[in-house]
Every structure is written in C-alpha cells, then in structure tokens.
Amino acid sequence: MSVDELNKPAPYKLHISDELLDLTKQKLQLARFPEEQIDVGDDDWSQGAKVKVVKRLADYWSNGYDWRAEEARINAEFNQFKVKIDIPDYGPQVLHYAHHTSPSPDAIPLLFVQGWPGSFLEARKIIEPLTNPPDASIQAFHVVVPSIPGFGPGDAPKESGLGPKATASGFKRLMVEVLGYKRFVTQGGDWGSMITRSMALMYPQNVRACHYNLFPCGPPPWYKAPLTMGRLILSPYLYTNRELDSIKNMQYYQKEQDGYLRVQSTRPQSLGFGLGDSPIGLLGWLVEKFHEWMDVTHYKMSDDEVLTFVMMHWMQGATPGLRYYKMAFAEQGKASTRNSFKSYLNTPTGLSHFPKEIAMQPYDWVSWVANVQFRREHDKGGHFAAVECPELLVQDLRDWFSSKVVKKAMQSEVRPSRTSETSVTAITRRVALIYW
C-alpha cells in the first residue's frame, strides 16, 4: 500500500505481524505478577488493577484469544483507508480512518473521534445503525472514524508537536479535501471532545454542529457569573442530584484517578519503556481504566473485547498513545487543549450525560462556553458510551442532528462568532443561568 501522494487515500487492512504475536506470547508466559495485600478485598480497586483479573486475562491472551480471527472481523466490519495529509503548522502525516457511506440522499456527514485508551474500534457498534437506520424517516449519516495518530493502526508521528489542535487541522483536511464534505457534524468523547472542539473553533465554516459525551470545562469566573458561583457555593442545596453526582465523579477522578494523566503528560517515554515492552504492564494499566470509567453495573466488557482494545495500543508499543498527552499540554492558542473549553463557541452544541462519565459539568458552567441546544441525561453508561450503551448514543445523535437547529446550521452560509452573538441568544443564555 502506497500513501506517498498527498490527499490520495489507499485501502487498508489491519495486520499485525506473526513476529509480534509470537513475541507477545513469549512475554506473557514469562510474566511476573505482584501479590495482593491480604487486607484488600476482592472488589477493592483502590490500589489499581486486581491481580486475579489481570492473571485471568493474561492466561486467556496467551492460551485462548484468537487475534487472527478478531483481525479478520475488524477488516470485514470497517472500510479502512490511509492517506497522507499536509497538516498546517506541522507537516505531512499519514492518517488511518474508516469511512462508511449511507444510501440515504439526506445523510449528514458525521465525524466520530475517540479517545484514550480507546481506538477507532469504539465506533464498532454504532456505524451500522447510523448509516443504515431501520426506517427511511430516521436521520442517516455518512460516518467517518479516524484514528488519532499513534492509536491503533494510526501511524505514530515521527516528530513532536502533533496534539489535539494539530490533529483537528488534519481531520478537517481529511473531511473537506479528501472526502469532499464541506460541511459536517462531529461527535467526541475524551480526546475526541477536545479535537472536535478545536475543529469547531478553528473551522466554524465546516463544523456546523457538535455533540459531546464529555465536556471538561470549569466554572465561569465569579465576577462574570456571580449567580453561578453562588449556586456552586450552595450546591448541596441548589444542585440537582445529577449535578451533585457529576461533581463527586470529578472530585473522585482528581483525587484518585488522574495519576496516569500526570505521568503521561510529563514523562510519557519513561513510562513507555515498561508499557511498550510488557503486555502485562499495558494490560494492567488499561484494565483499571476500563473498570473505573465504565458503568460496570450495567455493562462489562468481554475478555475478547478487553484484549482487542489493548491490542490497539500494544501493536505500536503503547508509547505513541502515551506521548499524545505530552503533545496536548504543550499546545498554545485559543484552540489548544488548555484553552479550547474556556471561550464561548456559538456552534450549535448537543450533550449526552452518562452517569459514570468523569467530566460532564453542570449546565450553568457549560452554557458559558457553548451554545447548548440539546442535552439529555441517561440512567446508565460511562466514559465509553459508544461501547457501553450504543443504542442510547445513536438515538441522541439522530435526535440532535435531525433537529431544525442543525438543519438550519447545515444550510447557512455564515457561521456567527461570539462577537456577533445576537442579543436574544445572550439574554436567553443568561436567563438559563439564573434558572439553573
């Protein structure tokens, strides 16, 4: 497969070499495991991944898991391509993506972007219902699912500087210049929320509406929104139960779960020596995230599903996915990772709130930085919504992107900015803040 020419996609089939598969099995068989402390309960994950869980998965990985069968299923389910893109302010980069078109004449182009420790496989359960809905009256989509560079089959960057902002520029060129979608909508969670948010900030003429299942903004400054700050101070009395739970999720994440973020955003390569060389190390690192961030009361990954997700990072030695954090927090500018959720964006926005999500903030925070026109709360689901409860996410995407607001945005020629925000919009937003 040759991808030497810019903007000329080539079909791609996922393939991991026999040499790596053999080496993986050897390493699994030579693994050394830690011992659990005797006073730590079987269901207590407070020290990290449970030894018995990792041992069981490692044994299955070595003696039962059939990667070749899984590889064949992936290649049968996804229409995959690679293409070289000249990313502005970065340079040439080969991108991997899946592209599924709908037979519907009214289909809307939808860019779905995943996060870490996921991969393009997060879209596995939603592509078919989005491209081929059961009834012609239901909104259909042309679905594009790119891999973040270094995730799964996405070629790892050879030079530093490719974080979410640069990725957003590359994905925009993929959509507009390679696939010909001049106007499209986006869905993002985890890194996908930051990538698609950056896209909307930089290219509002192309990104006509957004949907998020993670929205990591902070509260507005107290001197700009004293009522919002007062409501936060009195949150035990004024917040809804869902809002209180969201704050608890965020506080627990910051206290107990964000150690990976500190390491991966500062010294990812040092960590990569371990996780990129040890399948057991990577398995333990990721299994803990799946357990902590999923709504395991309602959904538990199968062993095959867990190992396939792990393989997406094992195949390139894990380090490229870890390094993405370092690149992200080195970005500068309004559309950078640190700043993209700090300024108001008038692009029509939809939100889906799943109870185990680690960052979905109260509405009066979000409305200061987003033109929220759709939001829906669910009773189940977590960080990996497309995996855990695909039917709920699909329905939300259909309902939001088929709305009059989005259809108007898809047809309009001019994308309003914050400086041209209408007085009606501004007044409505402030009334909403007081109400909420």
Side-chain angles (χ1 to χ4, degrees), residues 220-236:
W222 67 268
Y223 55 86
K224 290 185 178 180
L227 291 177
T228 300
M229 184 56 62
R231 189 168 177 266
L232 174 59
I233 294 171
L234 297 174
S235 58

Side-chain angles (χ1 to χ4, degrees), residues 17-44:
S17 70
D18 290 334
E19 290 77 12
L20 179 57
L21 296 180
D22 291 342
L23 179 62
T24 302
K25 190 167 187 177
Q26 293 173 27
K27 287 177 176 290
L28 288 167
Q29 293 171 344
L30 294 171
R32 184 173 63 171
F33 295 88
E35 294 290 335
E36 293 274 14
Q37 293 183 315
I38 60 174
D39 60 335
V40 177
D42 284 348
D43 296 322
D44 183 349

Side-chain angles (χ1 to χ4, degrees), residues 40-65:
V40 177
D42 284 348
D43 296 322
D44 183 349
W45 288 66
S46 63
Q47 294 192 11
K50 300 301 291 182
V51 174
K52 65 177 183 179
V53 173
V54 176
K55 278 186 174 180
R56 176 178 55 78
L57 287 165
D59 179 70
Y60 180 61
W61 194 353
S62 179
N63 299 306
Y65 178 66

Side-chain angles (χ1 to χ4, degrees), residues 109-338:
L110 167 65
L111 178 71
F112 176 98
V113 188
Q114 83 290 341
W116 184 93
S119 69
F120 79 107
L121 296 182
E122 287 187 49
R124 197 171 193 174
K125 300 175 185 177
I126 68 173
I127 289 176
E128 179 61 24
L130 288 174
T131 55
N132 294 291
D135 188 281
S137 64
I138 299 174
Q139 181 64 57
F141 300 87
H142 304 307
V143 180
V144 181
V145 186
S147 290
I148 296 174
F151 289 47
D155 289 34
K158 301 295 185 184
E159 298 181 4
S160 61
L162 211 171
K165 182 179 175 182
T167 302
S169 294
F171 287 177
K172 177 263 183 181
R173 286 201 165 180
L174 169 66
M175 293 295 286
V176 175
E177 299 178 17
V178 177
L179 300 179
Y181 297 131
K182 305 300 182 185
R183 299 175 182 177
F184 55 91
V185 299
T186 64
Q187 150 62 29
D190 197 87
W191 282 127
S193 68
M194 299 168 200
I195 292 168
T196 56
R197 175 81 175 183
S198 292
M199 291 181 74
L201 285 165
M202 294 188 292
Y203 309 109
Q205 71 277 17
N206 304 116
V207 180
R208 311 319 295 254
C210 305
H211 184 271
Y212 304 95
N213 57 289
L214 177 142
F215 202 92
C217 68
W222 67 268
Y223 55 86
K224 290 185 178 180
L227 291 177
T228 300
M229 184 56 62
R231 189 168 177 266
L232 174 59
I233 294 171
L234 297 174
S235 58
Y237 309 101
L238 299 181
Y239 273 17
T240 65
N241 289 335
R242 175 57 67 91
E243 288 176 317
L244 289 172
D245 288 342
S246 296
I247 296 298
K248 289 178 182 177
N249 286 350
M250 180 178 61
Q251 291 173 336
Y252 177 71
Y253 170 80
Q254 292 173 338
K255 179 181 178 182
E256 294 285 343
Q257 297 182 342
D258 73 347
Y260 79 97
L261 177 65
R262 310 282 180 169
V263 178
Q264 292 176 194
S265 62
T266 54
R267 295 296 184 270
Q269 191 159 291
S270 296
L271 181 62
F273 283 107
L275 302 190
D277 183 64
S278 169
I280 297 298
L282 182 62
L283 178 61
W285 196 250
L286 301 192
V287 163
E288 184 244 330
K289 306 300 181 290
F290 299 145
H291 179 271
E292 291 291 303
W293 296 350
M294 282 187 171
D295 184 0
V296 294
T297 301
H298 294 99
Y299 183 85
K300 292 183 179 180
M301 300 176 81
S302 69
D303 290 353
D304 285 287
E305 194 171 21
V306 169
L307 294 175
T308 299
F309 268 53
V310 173
M311 286 292 290
M312 289 297 98
H313 291 274
W314 176 247
M315 64 184 292
Q316 293 201 67
T319 304
L322 308 177
R323 190 181 283 131
Y324 198 74
Y325 284 75
K326 179 77 170 180
M327 300 303 101
F329 291 101
E331 295 177 331
Q332 302 294 322
K334 179 181 177 181
S336 68
T337 296
R338 294 184 186 275

Side-chain angles (χ1 to χ4, degrees), residues 75 95 124 134 153 170 223 226 383 420 422 431:
N75 286 329
L95 299 180
R124 197 171 193 174
Y223 55 86
H383 190 64
S420 61
T422 65
V431 169

